[in-house]
Structures are given as structure tokens and as C-alpha cells.
Amino acid sequence: MYRIGELAKQCEVKADTLRFYEKHGLLSPSMRSESGYRLYTEQDAERLRFILRAKAVGFTLSEITELLSIDLDKSNWACADVKGMVDIKLANVEEKIAELNHFRLSLQRLSDACCGGPESAEHCSILEALESNVEVKCENHSHDHGETEYKTSCKLKG
């Protein structure tokens, strides 16, 4: 039997995490001591490790709840059901990656559009692009500002 702090330490989480999982119905102590301490069995520890592994690969608490219910009643579920959950999660991750790549490319274009020089931001191509509905098109040439060389402002294509 583990007390809450012992189980938390063994699984490298805080005791508050176990309380949080208990509050959300993912984990509950098998019993309480006479003095009211939560007591967990090895089976509870395995359940916690399952939860932590599922969380580590990106499942939400509600998805973990569903996975736990499948795990408890495996004979009434098919592998296809579990694979379907994973495939949906994978598609969501791929969609987020595509979105982040789009953000990265857009930010790179904005960065490339700005000379980054010491001049006033009155004609900053980044601000101009964000203030209007234009696409930033960059050219790769530079001009000299004293000892430091800066990329010229890119042209804004409207």
C-alpha cells in the first residue's frame, strides 16, 4: 500500500496531481487509513502509470477516461476502437503541425521583410503588413547602414 506522497514520488508527480485525477474520476484510492490518509494499491499505481503514459502522448483527460473504460472492459471492445481513437488523435496532431508550420512560414516572411535597422518604425514593413491585407514578398539584397549591413524592406504585394 502506498500513501499519496509515496505514490506521487514513485511516479514522479506531485500529490496534487493525484488529487486532481481523483477529483476528475480518473484515479481513486483503494481505501483510507483510520486517520484518513489515502491508500493506494499496486493496481492503483499501474492505473496512474497508464494515465501518465496516455497524457504523455497527448490524450486529454476525457480521452484518458474513455481509454480507461476500454481497458477495464477489453472483451467488449475491438482493437479497431482503440486504433480509431489513436488515429483521430494523430490526425489532430498532424493538423496542428501543419498550422504551426504555416505560422512559422508567415512569421519568417514577416521577419525577412524587415530590415531590422535602427531607423524609425514609421515605415516598418512588418507593421505595414499587419495593418493591411497584403502579402509580403521578399527580395534578397541588402544595403549598408554604417558598419552594419541590414536586409532591405521587402515589398508588400497587395
Side-chain angles (χ1 to χ4, degrees), residues 79-146:
C79 275
D81 298 320
V82 181
K83 183 178 180 355
M85 287 182 67
V86 169
D87 288 346
I88 289 169
K89 184 56 107 179
L90 180 60
N92 291 340
V93 168
E94 288 172 348
E95 188 178 304
K96 286 180 185 178
I97 289 170
E99 184 179 21
L100 289 171
N101 280 327
H102 173 75
F103 291 157
R104 181 185 51 77
L105 181 60
S106 297
L107 290 168
Q108 187 64 57
R109 285 181 179 154
L110 284 172
S111 177
D112 291 347
C114 184
C115 68
E119 299 89 3
S120 161
E122 290 179 69
H123 300 291
C124 177
S125 56
I126 294 174
L127 296 176
E128 288 174 7
L130 294 174
E131 289 170 350
S132 61
N133 188 19
V134 296
E135 180 184 345
V136 178
K137 279 291 203 193
C138 298
E139 298 173 9
N140 290 325
H141 62 275
S142 57
H143 62 283
D144 195 0
H145 286 282

